[in-house]
Amino acid sequence: MLNKFLAILALSLLSSVITPAVAQQFRRIPPNLPTVQITGISYPQVKLGDRVYRLAPGALIYSEQNSTLVSNQVTVGAVAKVWFNAQGEVQTLWILTPQERAGQ
């Protein structure tokens, strides 16, 4: 019984360390999205380059580590890929890693 508990504990600790690394490896950003610089953000609006857009309800912002952010956690000046919904609102932002920026 104790061995089973220790095995489960070890697996949960291991998964908490491995999961962020695996998530970063398998980050999927749809191809052909515009690359933008975030020049300002004040919920519910985000300034991309010199244009201001509205964040869609339920908009997702992914950090360089592929975790989700709320708008006040976004660094102004970050480079991102953006997906707009049918209404022209920002539905998803992926903040790019240095490797992703270099690979464009």
Side-chain angles (χ1 to χ4, degrees):
M1 185 71 161
L2 181 60
N3 286 340
K4 193 177 208 181
F5 173 76
L6 290 175
I8 291 171
L9 180 63
L11 284 174
S12 66
L13 290 173
L14 184 62
S15 69
S16 68
V17 172
I18 291 177
T19 302
V22 170
Q24 179 64 29
Q25 263 183 336
F26 295 107
R27 183 159 130 131
R28 292 198 170 100
I29 301 173
N32 304 322
L33 291 179
T35 302
V36 296
Q37 183 169 20
I38 301 169
T39 54
I41 190 160
S42 178
Y43 184 81
Q45 297 178 329
V46 60
K47 189 172 182 184
L48 306 176
D50 58 355
R51 295 194 58 194
V52 176
Y53 297 92
R54 182 173 173 79
L55 288 170
L60 292 171
I61 303 170
Y62 291 102
S63 72
E64 293 175 332
Q65 292 78 32
N66 214 33
S67 59
T68 55
L69 301 174
V70 294
S71 60
N72 67 344
Q73 294 176 306
V74 175
T75 304
V76 172
V79 176
K81 292 282 190 176
V82 61
W83 177 53
F84 297 100
N85 66 14
Q87 290 75 34
E89 301 168 320
V90 174
Q91 186 65 51
T92 310
L93 278 170
W94 288 269
I95 298 175
L96 300 179
T97 64
Q99 296 83 9
E100 290 166 337
R101 287 192 302 266
Q104 294 182 40

